[in-house]
Amino acid sequence: MPMILVTGGAGYIGSHTVLQLLLAGYNVLAVDNFDNSSAVAISRVKELAGKLAKNFSFVELDLRNRAALEKVFTNQKFDAVIHFAGLKAVGESVQKPLLYFDNNLIGTIILFQVMVAHGCKKLVFSSSATVYGWPKEVPCTEEFPLSSTNPYGRTKLIIEEMCRDLYCADKNWKIILLRYFNPVGAHPSGFIGEDPRGIPNNLMPFVQQVAVGRLPSLTVFGNDYKTCDGTGVRDYIHVVDLAEGHIAALRKLDDPKIGCEVYNLGTGKGTSVLEMVKAFEQASGKKIPLAMGGRRPGDAEIVYASTKKAEKELNWKAKHDIDDMCRDQWNWASKNPYGYGRSGDSPK
Ligand code: NAD
Ligand code: WQD
């Protein structure tokens, strides 16, 4: 089976993808600097993978450490790279643009240079629906005009452009850019999930921390949008479906016709903030106290994906609905109210 390098493999989406890759029979080497993740995620993935954990290894490194990355590529030949590693907090990127440009852009350039030096030119990259900015209409198709409203989004746009340029210059590259919508939920075992540092920026990690009593209430950012109930609408996708989307993308990289292609990974369905909160309350049996607040600067009104291209060309479709996402989010939250901070459980 192919050997895959996963950057950012200890992170939220990375850890779930590493597990699905192992379960699908792939060999995986993951790297991460644990800037926004924990080594506990790696040991939990190994436990969940059981005997297949023998096909998994991990190296702690920062992608900007060229010598360390060179060593990994010298010791191991890779068939493809899935590149998750990056910083992703929109607000922080506005405060610290240079940190985001340094980490996300320099890290990616060094990765690509080392890949070229070792003859590995197959890549799956984590892009984001953020590149659609405030879409004029929905569903968002892959051909929509692209824009960015913050430095984080700009790093995604720049890396997408970098990938298109790489392919233009050298047709041996095979690149799939995956634009994720709103990944939520956790592995159904409840042993891996999202564990953001500090106060969460995103809706579901925030709701989860209210449910376990770490935060008093959820502030709803705007209830005067032109939507079913006035609150923002997004396309939430179960993280395991998203992980499976990466396996579909890896398979697509074997298509001789593939060059540099982009696919949305979403469900194609929009859900409002209040609908999401209600579904989570039902799944958890917990009441989520709400405070109505103003709109968050930069937030779009309605964003959801057209999933046609991924369904047709990747032969992939999200299977889980909002109730599944909330059930698995709560399972993770209730078993790990402090994320990986208080470990010791075993997935048995
Ligand atoms: P995450 O923060 O949980 O995972 C990213 C991982 O990369 C972390 O473990 C972090 O420690 C690591 N990392 C960061 N910089 C690194 C560096 N220089 N060297 C080595 N490791 C480094 O985030 P996630 O939610 O799993 O996101 C994964 C990717 O998907 C990111 O590129 C993100 O921008 C993108 N994405 C995420 C979402 C989302 O809502 N979660 C949506 C769209 C796109
Ligand atoms: C969802 C909805 C908020 C928190 C962000 C990034 C995007 C991508 C995914 C990486 C919105 C509302 C939220 C809260 C709230 N990440 N909300 N109270 O904004 O769609 O996208 O994550 O690429 O780049 O911008 O996701 O989870 O922050 O918000 O009312 O405390 O929940 O206004 O309508 P978003 P989100």
Side-chain angles (χ1 to χ4, degrees):
M1 275 301 269
M3 168 58 82
I4 312 298
L5 173 68
V6 177
T7 75
Y12 172 45
I13 307 171
S15 56
H16 286 81
T17 304
V18 168
L19 178 60
Q20 294 311 116
L21 285 168
L22 292 170
L23 297 178
Y26 286 88
N27 299 299
V28 179
L29 188 152
V31 297
D32 203 299
N33 64 357
F34 295 130
D35 184 85
N36 193 39
S37 50
S38 159
V40 179
I42 296 296
S43 41
R44 297 243 179 128
V45 165
K46 283 185 183 160
E47 283 191 76
L48 288 167
K51 285 186 180 154
L52 293 167
K54 70 179 189 319
N55 300 329
F56 179 40
S57 50
F58 178 82
V59 177
E60 182 177 348
L61 61 76
D62 189 303
L63 281 186
R64 291 163 296 179
N65 182 344
R66 186 188 298 272
L69 195 60
E70 268 288 344
K71 199 172 156 199
V72 168
F73 274 81
T74 303
N75 291 338
Q76 180 63 60
K77 190 176 162 1
F78 297 105
D79 296 288
V81 174
I82 304 182
H83 179 29
F84 292 107
L87 300 175
K88 62 164 183 176
V90 171
E92 184 187 52
S93 81
V94 175
Q95 302 302 320
K96 301 175 183 170
L98 288 178
L99 175 70
Y100 274 66
F101 295 138
D102 182 49
N103 191 80
N104 294 6
L105 299 182
I106 306 290
T108 300
I109 290 170
I110 290 176
L111 172 68
F112 291 176
Q113 287 171 334
V114 175
M115 285 174 70
V116 170
H118 291 267
C120 175
K121 294 183 181 173
K122 280 188 181 176
L123 172 75
V124 177
F125 172 64
S126 303
S127 189
S128 165
T130 192
V131 301
Y132 295 121
W134 182 311
K136 287 204 177 70
E137 53 181 324
V138 279
C140 301
T141 68
E142 286 82 351
E143 297 74 36
F144 270 23
L146 305 181
S147 66
S148 57
T149 51
N150 56 72
Y152 164 71
R154 266 183 279 289
T155 68
K156 292 297 176 196
L157 270 185
I158 292 167
I159 296 169
E160 281 207 6
E161 295 295 4
M162 217 189 275
C163 289
R164 286 185 268 272
D165 286 341
L166 278 180
Y167 176 68
C168 257
D170 177 356
K171 298 289 185 274
N172 290 317
W173 275 97
K174 289 174 176 291
I175 303 177
I176 291 187
L177 309 170
L178 296 177
R179 293 183 185 147
Y180 315 150
F181 280 65
N182 291 62
V184 299
H187 188 265
S189 64
F191 283 91
I192 53 172
E194 185 168 16
D195 182 19
R197 293 218 194 289
I199 307 253
N201 303 296
N202 296 115
L203 179 66
M204 290 314 281
F206 201 103
V207 167
Q208 161 180 333
Q209 292 200 10
V210 174
V212 298
R214 290 173 64 180
L215 292 167
S217 62
L218 170 75
T219 301
V220 176
F221 295 145
N223 60 353
D224 58 349
Y225 287 111
K226 289 193 202 95
T227 60
C228 56
D229 54 24
T231 65
V233 166
R234 295 291 184 273
D235 186 338
Y236 298 94
I237 173 169
H238 197 295
V239 66
V240 175
D241 279 331
L242 195 68
E244 292 290 345
H246 291 75
I247 294 178
L250 280 181
R251 292 200 181 109
K252 185 71 181 174
L253 287 179
D254 290 331
D255 179 343
K257 293 192 291 295
I258 197 90
C260 180
E261 274 299 334
V262 52
Y263 296 96
N264 288 338
L265 293 186
T267 63
K269 293 187 188 71
T271 305
S272 75
V273 174
L274 293 183
E275 286 171 336
M276 206 60 190
V277 168
K278 193 170 161 216
F280 187 85
E281 286 183 334
Q282 266 162 9
S284 63
K286 300 276 175 189
K287 183 83 196 140
I288 305 298
L290 299 180
M292 290 301 163
R295 294 181 177 196
R296 183 171 62 178
D299 264 2
E301 189 164 66
I302 306 183
V303 186
Y304 60 89
S306 164
T307 57
K308 281 193 188 136
K309 189 176 175 194
E311 280 173 34
K312 186 161 168 248
E313 296 181 19
L314 295 182
N315 203 14
W316 167 91
K317 192 176 171 18
K319 295 191 184 93
H320 297 287
D321 64 14
I322 294 294
D323 294 332
D324 300 335
M325 298 175 210
C326 290
R327 178 200 62 215
D328 292 338
Q329 183 102 28
W330 174 241
N331 187 34
W332 155 251
S334 52
K335 286 181 172 154
N336 308 270
Y338 287 84
Y340 294 116
R342 290 183 190 171
S343 56
D345 295 346
S346 151
K348 300 281 155 18

